[in-house]
Amino acid sequence: MFEFNVAAFADRLAKLPVRVSLLESGTYNRYLRENVFDVLRQSGKFDLRDLDCDAFTYQDVTPVSYPSCFIHSQVGWAKTFNKFVKDTGASSRKEPSFF
């Protein structure tokens, strides 16, 4: 019968890498406001060849709905991973342990 091995669990837990959150909220960028969006409002068109990609970051163009999409995607990934783990057969080990 397998037992929960506290020492093995604590050892593996201590070795986990620090989780970096990829969730970033959007920020205001003056360049985009003045040189892109204001131009679009006035003339109705903007030539993408005039866009200075060094003047803004991806965080500046992050949509407001991104945090909810990000969380939904993470939850879906975790559920799918759990399903695959549940359907995977057990492997044999030399010593009985939970981890």
Side-chain angles (χ1 to χ4, degrees):
M1 173 109 184
F2 290 108
E3 295 178 32
F4 179 71
N5 187 330
V6 177
F9 177 76
D11 181 51
R12 286 181 174 83
L13 190 60
K15 291 178 182 175
L16 284 174
V18 175
R19 185 174 183 190
V20 178
S21 176
L22 300 175
L23 184 59
E24 296 179 347
S25 58
T27 58
Y28 175 80
N29 185 293
R30 182 179 219 136
Y31 168 79
L32 290 174
R33 167 61 58 203
E34 295 174 355
N35 299 322
V36 178
F37 298 119
D38 287 347
V39 171
L40 276 171
R41 277 195 193 97
Q42 291 172 359
S43 66
K45 56 186 172 179
F46 178 78
D47 190 350
L48 289 177
R49 292 175 288 192
D50 297 335
L51 186 65
D52 180 10
C53 293
D54 293 327
F56 63 94
T57 65
Y58 285 119
Q59 191 173 1
D60 298 328
V61 292
T62 300
V64 175
S65 62
Y66 179 72
S68 64
C69 294
F70 181 83
I71 290 168
H72 178 72
S73 186
Q74 274 196 325
V75 169
W77 181 91
K79 286 179 180 178
T80 304
F81 180 78
N82 285 340
K83 183 188 178 319
F84 283 125
V85 168
K86 197 186 318 182
D87 295 341
T88 302
S91 62
S92 61
R93 295 187 54 138
K94 294 181 181 178
E95 64 180 47
S97 69
F98 187 75
F99 284 95

